[in-house]
Amino acid sequence: MTFGLFETLAFACLVLILGFFIVKKINFLRNYNIPEPVVGGFVVAIVLYILHATMGINFTFEGSLQTTMMLFFFTSIGLSAEFDKLKKGGKPLLIFVFLTGSFMIVQNVFGISVASLLGIDPSYGLIAGSITLTGGHGTGAAWAQNLTDIFQINGAMELAMACATYGLVMGGLIGGPVAKVLLKKKNIQPTKNIQERGAPIEMFENPDSNRRINVRNMIETLTMFAICLALGHLLYEYCKGSWLELPNFVWCLFVGVIIRNTISRSSSYIVNDHAVDVLGNTGLYLFLTIALMSLQLWQLQGLASQVLVILILQTVLMILFAMFITFRVMGSDYDAIVLSAGHCGFGLGATPTAVANMQSITDKYGPSHKAFLIVPMVGAFFVDILNNLFIKLFVSYLS
């Protein structure tokens, strides 16, 4: 069955509402802060897998909507990023960049080492490392052909997609439980007052709070989004194939940063952060929902048992790194807990997964200005750049 644009949008909205309903009804999911888009999308992915296995029915969703929602999310990060706010990130932001870069190296060394111990080609450990786990489907697809050419790996593309699928699911599942353990360790209780922790509500921290928006400021905000998407795409096409080639979403985010700070410094117009927040969160939730409900879980059946062992051990490694290194290095406080959950999100999945993990915590325990300042910017700007650099180094080493 093939779903067009409108059918995909309608189906995704229903799946997201299903996620809200399931999380509301099941205490376990609420207690362990599992994001609603992950719950709804994964449940439907399982149902579609059963239909595929028993009746041979395949479901294909309109891919452009997922891409557009992802671009909306990253554009909203750019439009919310004032340089004055970014300066506040300071040393913690640099430390978190160092942590994420260090974990990419650890992921690859660990994957290659386990692959060697299991008696398979070490390059399989690289695929089940930062290429697909930190990099996701996009980086996995981009490197699959190169790895096939260099290492003569059979089915590199299928393997990369399966590993990235595993990572996207697990990245959304482990962040909440990791935070739950750390919150219990620090004896931090849920709060009914979202402002109780003393920090102002910032972008994405509390998507359910009341918003003062109207038609005019929504149209103005949509105009900024449209300009960011259009200019970002032009820059992406212009730089494709050059040393400046970056993913489309990075250019959209970059244009958003420039527009936001140009407006803030050169005019009396005030960007409506609430409108940016609403559009960004809508993009985030729909992107995750579509990504998860579109998962072809039968791809995981194609994973060799040795690669599956590597992925399971990589998940354990991510949990231990977040709990014992990210948490401690980032200050062992509430902000560090939220940052640890976010690190699980893009250490195995993607930046939107990281933000959803953090939202599920701050919605119950109060805002974390520091975490929501650092994670989206690191996940958008630094992760892909560092990851591709490290991948090139490891590929050169193995070849």
Side-chain angles (χ1 to χ4, degrees), residues 76 80 102 135 151 281 345:
S76 67
S80 68
S102 299
F151 300 108
N281 273 293

Side-chain angles (χ1 to χ4, degrees), residues 325-358:
I325 298 180
T326 304
F327 172 63
R328 293 180 179 179
V329 172
M330 295 309 299
S332 300
D333 54 9
Y334 176 67
D335 289 321
I337 294 173
V338 182
L339 283 165
S340 298
H343 195 184
C344 289
F346 66 67
L348 291 181
T351 302
T353 311
V355 173
N357 283 350
M358 298 193 301

Side-chain angles (χ1 to χ4, degrees), residues 233-300:
H233 183 70
L234 287 174
L235 288 170
Y236 167 73
E237 291 293 335
Y238 180 77
C239 296
K240 187 182 293 186
S242 72
W243 66 274
L244 276 175
E245 182 175 357
L246 293 170
N248 201 352
F249 69 83
V250 175
W251 287 115
C252 292
L253 185 149
F254 176 73
V255 174
V257 171
I258 299 301
I259 289 177
R260 173 59 186 261
N261 288 277
T262 300
I263 291 174
S264 297
R265 295 175 183 276
S266 62
S267 73
S268 59
Y269 176 77
I270 299 175
V271 175
N272 190 307
D273 284 324
H274 287 170
V276 174
D277 193 357
V278 169
L279 288 173
N281 273 293
T282 300
L284 167 65
Y285 276 34
L286 286 174
F287 165 74
L288 280 177
T289 302
I290 298 170
L292 284 161
M293 74 185 195
S294 301
L295 293 178
Q296 296 179 333
L297 293 178
W298 52 89
Q299 288 181 336
L300 297 180

Side-chain angles (χ1 to χ4, degrees), residues 1 11 44-59 298:
M1 296 181 64
F11 194 78
V44 171
I46 292 175
V47 173
L48 298 185
Y49 169 75
I50 294 173
L51 291 174
H52 170 80
T54 57
M55 303 174 65
I57 301 175
N58 291 324
F59 291 82
W298 52 89

Side-chain angles (χ1 to χ4, degrees), residues 134-376:
T134 297
H137 290 82
T139 303
W143 277 94
Q145 187 57 51
N146 289 339
L147 294 177
T148 299
D149 295 338
I150 296 172
F151 300 108
Q152 287 76 51
I153 299 175
N154 293 323
M157 179 65 74
E158 291 77 9
L159 182 62
M161 293 301 98
C163 291
T165 297
Y166 173 93
L168 187 63
V169 173
M170 294 307 300
L173 292 178
I174 68 171
V178 164
K180 180 70 175 180
V181 172
L182 295 174
L183 287 164
K184 185 176 181 179
K185 178 180 179 182
K186 300 297 291 186
N187 195 29
I188 297 175
Q189 301 299 321
T191 175
K192 293 182 180 179
N193 181 3
I194 199 67
Q195 296 277 19
E196 189 175 302
R197 307 232 178 259
I201 296 176
E202 294 292 335
M203 277 291 294
F204 303 114
E205 286 182 69
N206 183 29
D208 296 324
S209 62
N210 293 326
R211 310 294 183 186
R212 292 185 178 181
I213 56 177
N214 54 42
V215 173
R216 175 166 178 169
N217 56 47
M218 185 59 79
I219 292 297
E220 292 170 347
T221 305
L222 274 172
T223 301
M224 289 188 291
F225 270 77
I227 293 172
C228 290
L229 294 172
L231 291 179
H233 183 70
L234 287 174
L235 288 170
Y236 167 73
E237 291 293 335
Y238 180 77
C239 296
K240 187 182 293 186
S242 72
W243 66 274
L244 276 175
E245 182 175 357
L246 293 170
N248 201 352
F249 69 83
V250 175
W251 287 115
C252 292
L253 185 149
F254 176 73
V255 174
V257 171
I258 299 301
I259 289 177
R260 173 59 186 261
N261 288 277
T262 300
I263 291 174
S264 297
R265 295 175 183 276
S266 62
S267 73
S268 59
Y269 176 77
I270 299 175
V271 175
N272 190 307
D273 284 324
H274 287 170
V276 174
D277 193 357
V278 169
L279 288 173
N281 273 293
T282 300
L284 167 65
Y285 276 34
L286 286 174
F287 165 74
L288 280 177
T289 302
I290 298 170
L292 284 161
M293 74 185 195
S294 301
L295 293 178
Q296 296 179 333
L297 293 178
W298 52 89
Q299 288 181 336
L300 297 180
Q301 291 180 313
L303 282 177
S305 58
Q306 297 98 327
V307 176
L308 185 58
V309 169
I310 298 173
L311 291 173
I312 293 171
L313 292 177
Q314 289 280 24
T315 305
V316 175
L317 178 68
M318 179 74 260
I319 293 171
L320 295 176
F321 193 96
M323 292 182 65
F324 295 102
I325 298 180
T326 304
F327 172 63
R328 293 180 179 179
V329 172
M330 295 309 299
S332 300
D333 54 9
Y334 176 67
D335 289 321
I337 294 173
V338 182
L339 283 165
S340 298
H343 195 184
C344 289
F346 66 67
L348 291 181
T351 302
T353 311
V355 173
N357 283 350
M358 298 193 301
Q359 281 182 348
S360 67
I361 299 163
T362 56
D363 187 48
K364 290 173 58 179
Y365 293 90
S368 173
H369 175 60
K370 181 178 178 181
F372 278 86
L373 179 67
I374 291 174
V375 168

